[in-house]
Amino acid sequence: MLFSKKINFKIIFKYMICFVYILFSFANTYEINIKNTEEELDQLFCKNKYYGYKETNLYFDEEIYMIPDKGQNKINLLSNIHFIGKNGTVFDFNKKDYSGIEFTFEGKGEGLFFENITFRNFLTSPIELLFAMIFIISSDSNDYRVNFKNCTFENNNMFILSRFKAKKKTKEIDNIVFDNCIFRNNTDRLLKSYHEDKEIQTSYNNIKFDNCIFTGTIGSTYIDSGIIKYNNCHFINISDSLNTYFRYESLILTSVQKENEIYFSNCIFQNIFLNGTRPYFFINFSKSLFVGNTFKNCHSEIGYIINAYYIDKYNKLTFDGLTVIGILKI
Ligand SMILES: *[C@@H]1O[C@H](CO)[C@@H](O)[C@H](O)[C@H]1NC(C)=O
Ligand SMILES: *[C@@H]1O[C@H](CO)[C@@H](O)[C@H](O)[C@H]1NC(C)=O
Ligand SMILES: *[C@@H]1O[C@H](CO)[C@@H](O)[C@H](O)[C@H]1NC(C)=O
Ligand SMILES: *[C@@H]1O[C@H](CO)[C@@H](O)[C@H](O)[C@H]1NC(C)=O
Ligand SMILES: *[C@@H]1O[C@H](CO)[C@@H](O)[C@H](O)[C@H]1NC(C)=O
Ligand SMILES: *[C@@H]1O[C@H](CO)[C@@H](O)[C@H](O)[C@H]1NC(C)=O
Ligand SMILES: *[C@@H]1O[C@H](CO)[C@@H](O)[C@H](O)[C@H]1NC(C)=O
């Protein structure tokens, strides 16, 4: 008798644990459909209604969402948040002054995920250093993730993405990843990482572009400190001259730190007509590896594509498996 009672108790206990676990995980996942109404977008972007759960899934099933313009779009991440669009969902910054969004991470492994969303019309700002989206890390750590999957960035005319404050590398992870994304007709910097505190020399992050397309006018990317990788990307039909701010040093990428690493693997550069005095890449110090890339029908008015400084002394510039078709001069 005593024996069987013990077993029953064990089984009941197991079920209880299971039940508590299920309750717990429901309580920690929050799912909601967001509509394009001022009220719902205010709750999402300005009032931080949806955070504090372990996992938050926000679904956007309308065609267009107008991002609020009150200068209050600040989201604090305590855990993972997913922004999930359907095919064709647009986040429209609506050419407004204060429609940028600020995401704050603690640097304890929080993740921000975007899928199937088009970001467009970030065109003006009264403050020079306002971005469409800013990722602020409130600690010294780089333990945070931002992931864009199947997203499009188009017709943006101001800085698009930035992040600051992670002073050092605490974790070997890809911090910002673009997977299957399209960048089209963006005239200012696509991405600029920097530290707002001028005393601090570097702001650390790792960036990765997988299977992305860059076309039309593209804004140059600037990395402060970290690793940047482009895998299987296609830079195509790029005309870059009068439209673009020519204050930037390069068409595609600028990197100026010794400890940086740059990788371009299996990328295709095609139909690029670059007028003026800028190269495709501006690389000061950084270690750079170009493997298996193809240049087809590319042009650079200054006659070369890379401006590289201090390469012998500090790091290496390696080209492997380069294919050139057409008129490129290096
Ligand atoms: C994203 O859109 C594609 C179609 O372009 C669709 O197949 C996929 O299911 C969508 N993803 C999600 C998470 O809804
Ligand atoms: C996504 O939308 C585009 C344009 O509306 C359409 O051409 C395409 O077929 C759609 N893709 C899917 C998988 O629904
Ligand atoms: C991304 O979009 C492609 C079509 O453009 C679709 O085949 C794929 O399922 C999408 N991926 C996701 C994760 O939605
Ligand atoms: C490119 O963006 C500009 C605004 O910056 C817009 O006026 C123009 O129509 C866009 N071009 C295309 C092809 O979408
Ligand atoms: C690039 O331009 C060619 C020729 O104008 C066109 O056929 C092709 O569709 C374009 N590709 C993209 C991705 O814009
Ligand atoms: C850019 O250079 C190409 C090739 O030299 C030339 O045909 C084109 O007219 C130039 N475009 C501009 C806007 O200067
Ligand atoms: C490269 O970096 C060094 C050290 O920061 C700096 O002195 C030099 O001016 C830079 N060169 C260019 C061309 O920016």
Side-chain angles (χ1 to χ4, degrees), residues 95 121-123 154-158 184-187 217 243:
K95 310 182 186 178
N121 290 335
F122 191 68
L123 292 186
E154 68 183 8
N155 294 357
N156 297 295
N157 203 356
M158 289 292 296
R184 184 192 293 130
N185 194 21
N186 299 302
T187 55
T217 308
N243 266 339

Side-chain angles (χ1 to χ4, degrees), residues 184 213-216 234 236-237 271:
R184 184 192 293 130
I213 296 171
F214 298 80
T215 189
H234 203 165
I236 183 167
N237 299 350
N271 304 342

Side-chain angles (χ1 to χ4, degrees), residues 85 87 115-116 149-151 179-180 182:
N87 182 24
E115 193 168 333
N116 286 355
K149 199 173 191 179
N150 276 15
C151 289
D179 183 7
N180 250 299
I182 299 171

Side-chain angles (χ1 to χ4, degrees), residues 73-84:
N73 300 328
K74 293 178 191 203
I75 294 186
N76 294 316
L77 277 93
L78 302 175
S79 56
N80 295 338
I81 301 187
H82 299 254
F83 286 75
I84 303 163

Side-chain angles (χ1 to χ4, degrees), residues 54-159:
K54 196 156 186 273
E55 207 74 42
T56 304
N57 293 338
L58 306 167
Y59 294 95
F60 299 84
D61 62 359
E62 296 204 56
E63 300 282 310
I64 294 189
Y65 290 82
M66 291 296 180
I67 307 299
D69 178 44
K70 305 189 181 92
Q72 293 168 5
N73 300 328
K74 293 178 191 203
I75 294 186
N76 294 316
L77 277 93
L78 302 175
S79 56
N80 295 338
I81 301 187
H82 299 254
F83 286 75
I84 303 163
K86 62 166 197 183
N87 182 24
T89 295
V90 172
F91 279 15
D92 197 328
F93 292 98
N94 201 21
K95 310 182 186 178
K96 291 283 172 58
D97 284 351
Y98 293 101
S99 55
I101 310 169
E102 220 177 86
F103 296 94
T104 306
F105 300 73
E106 284 183 28
K108 292 179 181 161
E110 309 93 297
L112 178 60
F113 303 87
F114 298 94
E115 193 168 333
N116 286 355
I117 293 173
T118 292
F119 300 90
R120 74 174 184 217
N121 290 335
F122 191 68
L123 292 186
T124 117
S125 154
I127 306 165
E128 207 207 335
L129 290 178
L130 203 63
F131 295 75
M133 282 181 272
I134 299 179
F135 314 118
I136 297 173
I137 321 303
S138 62
S139 70
D140 285 352
S141 140
N142 77 318
D143 193 4
Y144 77 99
R145 283 169 303 151
V146 180
N147 200 326
F148 295 94
K149 199 173 191 179
N150 276 15
C151 289
T152 300
F153 297 82
E154 68 183 8
N155 294 357
N156 297 295
N157 203 356
M158 289 292 296
F159 296 135

